Amino acid sequence: MTIDNIIQWFQSWFPVNVMVLFITSVLIAAVVIFAIMAVNALVAVYAERKISAFMQDRVGPMGQGPGLHAGKWGLLQTIADTIKLILKEDIIPKAADKKLFIIAPFIIFLGAFIALAAMPFGPYLIASDMNIGIFYILAVSSFGVIGIILAAWSSDNKWSLYGGMRSAAQIISYEIPAALSLVSVLLLTSTLSMQGIIQSQAGTVWGFLPNWNIFNNPFSFLAFFIYFIAGVAETNRTPFDIPEAESELVAGFHTEYSGMRWAFFFLSEYGNMLVVCGLTVVAFLGGWQSPIAGVMEGAWWGLFWFLTKLTATIFIMIWFRWTFPRLRVDQLMNVAWKILLPIALFNLFGVAIWTLLVG
Amino acid sequence: MTNIVFWFFVIMTITAALMVVLSKNLIYAAIALLVTFLGVAAMYVFLWADFIAGTQVMIYIGGILILLLFGIMLTHKITSVRISHTNVQRGVGALIVAAIFVGLVWMINFTPWLKVTTQEPLQTVHSIGTLLMTDFLLPFEVASVLLLGALIGAAVLARKET
């Protein structure tokens, strides 16, 4: 359902002013996207805590669950956390720049939120299928960096400032290999529209593998790994979490934040995971295409496949976090500029030649 | 409806642009610049230039503005030096601005603009790419050599003294 579809559908039922229709449709889409982000954060935080616990041979949260006393497996842990965060006092430091301190979390949130507007959750489930979809997502992701810088600067705290600077340097650096590996995919699909990219991945390759970009040729196979590594770095997660680095910087750019504002940082971190994993799925893993061509296809199966792939990639990110140690600042920059960037450039040439010769 | 949205963006852009100039605090000016860039991107959307709008957001907000903020962040407050706008030589400035304004208005009114189709194009990226690789290859290459020069220059400046 794109926004245009909703407008047309409404118009066939209620002949009202197109302005009213437009605002209602946009609001409907916005509420849905917000709900997706919130549910994603609820589930992913719980999953993250449980998975980390199992990886470290613990049991994780067990107390809060459905039922009167200690319920099952701490299923309601995140909801309890959310309620706690809402009820907490909202502290603004005296030395902070109040206006910027207040709006910074929302700017970060905005980056993930408006990027999801072009994310296709199924063959018909996309808020806006624009011609430049993937480019749009890459462009609006930069709001996150600005929000982080503002949060860091306005806190007037040296840990925050260090975190913000590290984060800005990191995200800007990793944007380049990420964008280059996405460009090599665009050479194969020859469209920037998210639905177009997915539609071009229909069918099979070599008779049995799905014709996803990751299986298309050796170069795009490599591009998948470059994009995913750079994507993890862009979400500021371990092993690239030096902007937060709790053992060095307290909590990095959100040291001074508490309560609901702090919760917004987490909501947008998990929202960014959603964006990066969604882009990975769309660009490399066939989006809502079924893994076996011609089997279990259709609108609802499409949603099912997309969410399955999304969950799998998010799980891999969580797995990364609890397996790898944190990189040092200089190592981080070396990885981006001296390893990922040359490979990504080589890859781009490789895909271009492959497209020229093989087709 | 398009009119209301258009004027909303026009007013937003101009107000933010005024804030950029008039704000005493540099970092507020930078944030106002963010809104201005967004407004300009919206203008491109109204001109059906979706790719240019995306480029505007990506380069100006994702690149230039972040560098600006970086620069301001490293100077203000942490070293307790207040950095703000100071206006010097207002008379001369006003004169130059007025001259530019008159020049622009004259240019806009007297240029024989090429007025073509009012049909919304189905896609823009494909034709931009084709034109860049055929008719405008030389300007494109010159621009890339310029950017390469800037990159090498930055690397040389940032290099450790040995």
Side-chain angles (χ1 to χ4, degrees):
Chain A
M1 291 290 267
T2 65
I3 287 175
D4 295 339
N5 290 140
I6 303 178
I7 293 178
Q8 277 164 15
W9 183 77
F10 263 120
Q11 241 166 356
S12 64
W13 288 95
F14 320 100
V16 274
N17 187 351
V18 74
M19 185 80 193
V20 181
L21 280 178
F22 177 73
I23 293 173
T24 348
S25 317
V26 171
L27 276 179
I28 290 174
V31 167
V32 171
I33 290 174
F34 185 81
I36 290 171
M37 280 181 79
V39 170
N40 168 61
L42 276 182
V43 178
V45 170
Y46 176 74
E48 177 128 40
R49 296 184 67 169
K50 273 296 186 190
I51 291 169
S52 71
F54 294 148
M55 284 183 181
Q56 296 165 349
D57 210 5
R58 297 183 283 119
V59 289
M62 293 297 277
Q64 280 71 28
L68 276 180
H69 297 289
K72 282 222 186 301
W73 313 304
L75 274 174
L76 299 179
Q77 179 65 45
T78 333
I79 294 173
D81 283 345
T82 317
I83 294 171
K84 181 197 78 174
L85 284 170
I86 293 174
L87 295 178
K88 260 188 162 181
E89 187 189 352
D90 179 31
I91 300 167
I92 299 178
K94 227 177 201 172
D97 189 313
K98 285 210 179 46
K99 286 178 205 155
L100 295 182
F101 190 83
I102 288 169
I103 63 163
F106 300 109
I107 294 184
I108 299 182
F109 173 75
L110 200 67
F113 182 64
I114 59 178
L116 285 176
M119 191 62 72
F121 287 91
Y124 305 104
L125 279 172
I126 178 170
S128 172
D129 182 22
M130 47 190 108
N131 279 324
I132 55 158
I134 200 164
F135 188 61
Y136 164 84
I137 292 183
L138 285 179
V140 297
S141 308
S142 45
F143 278 93
V145 193
I146 291 184
I148 287 175
I149 294 181
L150 288 183
W153 182 83
S154 65
S155 300
D156 198 27
N157 172 323
K158 56 188 167 190
W159 308 125
S160 300
L161 194 64
Y162 272 127
M165 278 168 51
R166 285 177 175 194
S167 170
Q170 170 180 334
I171 295 178
I172 291 179
S173 308
Y174 278 87
E175 247 173 23
I176 299 166
L180 277 178
S181 42
L182 283 181
V183 166
S184 53
V185 165
L186 298 181
L187 282 179
L188 295 172
T189 61
S190 60
T191 173
L192 292 178
S193 143
M194 296 292 268
Q195 295 288 32
I197 291 171
I198 295 174
Q199 273 148 15
S200 76
Q201 300 178 55
T204 52
V205 61
W206 302 332
F208 65 102
L209 279 176
N211 185 25
W212 300 346
N213 283 330
I214 180 174
F215 299 127
N216 193 289
N217 63 59
F219 300 106
S220 59
F221 184 72
L222 200 56
F224 165 76
F225 291 97
I226 297 172
Y227 179 73
F228 198 67
I229 293 171
V232 176
E234 281 190 57
T235 52
N236 286 338
R237 287 174 62 84
T238 326
F240 305 103
D241 69 335
I242 58 154
E244 292 173 36
E246 63 267 17
S247 48
E248 315 165 27
L249 296 181
V250 189
F253 55 88
H254 53 68
T255 305
E256 297 286 357
Y257 282 87
S258 60
M260 238 3 237
R261 288 184 213 292
W262 184 83
F264 256 87
F265 281 109
F266 256 62
L267 193 59
S268 23
E269 184 186 319
Y270 284 93
N272 276 329
M273 280 170 76
L274 207 59
V275 173
V276 167
C277 290
L279 265 185
T280 316
V281 170
V282 167
F284 296 97
L285 302 178
W288 38 258
Q289 303 273 11
S290 159
I292 307 159
V295 180
M296 297 202 279
E297 280 174 343
W300 293 108
W301 280 114
L303 180 66
F304 168 77
W305 287 122
F306 188 81
L307 291 181
T308 310
K309 292 170 188 174
L310 201 64
T311 317
T313 37
I314 288 181
F315 170 74
I316 293 173
M317 271 201 179
I318 294 175
W319 186 3
F320 271 9
R321 176 164 174 182
W322 300 102
T323 318
F324 294 127
R326 182 186 306 133
L327 289 171
R328 231 167 42 214
V329 183
D330 55 325
Q331 291 170 333
L332 187 93
M333 287 295 149
N334 279 348
V335 170
W337 292 100
K338 293 184 183 166
I339 300 175
L340 288 183
L341 182 62
I343 299 177
L345 273 174
F346 163 77
N347 230 358
L348 185 58
F349 275 110
V351 174
I353 291 168
W354 185 280
T355 321
L356 211 61
L357 297 182
V358 185
Chain B
M1 184 195 83
T2 319
N3 262 329
I4 302 174
V5 183
F6 175 75
W7 283 107
F8 169 76
F9 278 115
V10 166
I11 293 168
M12 185 185 92
T13 314
I14 295 179
T15 321
L18 281 176
M19 276 173 68
V20 174
V21 184
L22 298 175
S23 172
K24 284 274 183 280
N25 187 329
L26 258 190
I27 206 146
Y28 288 166
I31 298 307
L33 198 60
L34 166 78
V35 182
T36 317
F37 286 152
L38 268 185
V40 174
M43 292 298 121
Y44 284 128
V45 173
F46 277 107
L47 293 170
W48 294 325
D50 49 0
F51 185 76
I52 309 287
T55 316
Q56 164 87 10
V57 172
M58 186 167 227
I59 292 178
Y60 283 92
I61 296 179
I64 292 177
L65 192 71
I66 289 174
L67 283 182
L68 272 178
L69 283 171
F70 228 94
I72 301 168
M73 217 167 65
L74 287 176
T75 44
H76 181 30
K77 245 189 181 178
I78 282 299
T79 48
S80 308
V81 182
R82 275 204 77 82
I83 292 187
S84 63
H85 284 291
T86 42
N87 298 328
V88 288
Q89 296 188 320
R90 289 176 190 219
V92 183
L95 213 65
I96 293 171
V97 167
I100 292 175
F101 181 72
V102 170
L104 277 178
V105 168
W106 185 81
M107 195 267 289
I108 289 167
N109 280 322
F110 291 93
T111 310
W113 296 106
L114 191 64
K115 286 174 186 152
V116 277
T117 52
T118 47
Q119 190 99 40
E120 182 175 355
L122 278 176
Q123 41 81 19
T124 54
V125 186
H126 191 266
S127 27
I128 290 177
T130 313
L131 282 176
L132 274 183
M133 282 294 130
T134 52
D135 292 3
F136 299 99
L137 186 61
L138 185 67
F140 180 67
E141 290 297 331
V142 169
S144 44
V145 169
L146 178 74
L147 288 176
L148 183 67
L151 267 178
I152 294 171
V156 168
L157 283 179
R159 200 180 47 167
K160 261 188 205 143
E161 298 286 336
T162 45

